[in-house]
Amino acid sequence: MSAGRDFVNQVIMEIENSILKPLEDIESSAEGILESLAEGMNIEKPKVVATINPTNECTEHVDKDQQCQMVMGKYFAEESIILINYRIDMNTLLHLFAHHVHAVEMGKAKYVRVRRLEELRLPWELRPTEIIAMYRTTQLVRILQPRAWRIYNEEIKPRIREIDEKFSAVRLTVNHLERQVEHVLSDRKPI
């Protein structure tokens, strides 16, 4: 029993070290980039959450048969959270921050209402909040300090590569554990 528990702990440690820690590093570095912009604009800094999971632009209000466009992140105005896929690029990070700026300027409650109506009525590329975010992204690129590009290139990109390299190995280890559990269950005789 102890060997099984040790293996489970090893799997969990591998996930923490190979996936969760680099995700936290990406979050911290992305927040550092956005903190400098937020301070310069005198607005609150959003929280960044990095995920390996795919994100899409559909909401819970959309017909389940509708095709959803895959996106590299999403902005949640109510919580001031920017959810990013770990493979984020600088353009997408700034685009999501542009949504945050817009929400702060408009008022988060109003922004959420406007955004929900747009999501119900329009495809992504025709939503006014998206058009405003596209335009504002170009403005943000112009004021972005060279330090932000260094953070992206020296801190975020290496973590992306690290996760890419270790993800398959971690998944194989978890699959091995799952097979062991299935084997134990199949050997169990019904009462």
Side-chain angles (χ1 to χ4, degrees), residues 44-113:
E44 67 176 297
K45 173 189 71 150
K47 173 141 180 58
V48 175
V49 176
T51 181
I52 290 178
N53 297 327
T55 56
N56 65 53
E57 56 92 20
C58 290
T59 65
E60 65 275 3
H61 307 293
V62 176
D63 181 4
K64 299 295 183 216
D65 296 330
Q66 179 180 345
Q67 294 285 47
C68 297
Q69 177 178 330
M70 296 308 295
V71 293
M72 294 301 286
K74 200 166 189 167
Y75 175 63
F76 297 93
E78 301 95 336
E79 301 90 4
S80 294
I81 292 176
I82 292 177
L83 175 69
I84 58 172
N85 180 279
Y86 77 102
R87 289 183 176 148
I88 190 96
D89 59 28
M90 186 68 92
N91 180 54
T92 304
L93 181 62
L94 295 176
H95 179 91
L96 294 167
F97 182 71
H99 283 299
H100 174 70
V101 172
H102 190 191
V104 169
E105 291 172 350
M106 180 184 275
K108 290 179 187 176
K110 183 177 180 184
Y111 179 87
V112 169
R113 285 191 307 275

Side-chain angles (χ1 to χ4, degrees), residues 19 22-23 26 49-53 72 83-89 152 156-157 159-165 167:
I19 306 296
L23 282 176
I26 289 171
V49 176
T51 181
I52 290 178
N53 297 327
M72 294 301 286
L83 175 69
I84 58 172
N85 180 279
Y86 77 102
R87 289 183 176 148
I88 190 96
D89 59 28
Y152 179 77
I156 294 177
K157 276 185 158 181
R159 298 294 86 71
I160 293 170
R161 283 191 297 275
E162 182 180 339
I163 292 171
D164 283 341
E165 290 168 1
F167 185 72

Side-chain angles (χ1 to χ4, degrees), residues 16-57:
E16 288 175 358
N17 293 329
S18 299
I19 306 296
L20 293 176
K21 175 67 173 101
L23 282 176
E24 290 170 2
D25 292 343
I26 289 171
E27 291 168 351
S28 177
S29 296
E31 283 183 357
I33 292 169
L34 299 182
E35 182 174 31
S36 135
L37 288 169
E39 284 177 1
M41 301 173 97
N42 199 27
I43 62 172
E44 67 176 297
K45 173 189 71 150
K47 173 141 180 58
V48 175
V49 176
T51 181
I52 290 178
N53 297 327
T55 56
N56 65 53
E57 56 92 20

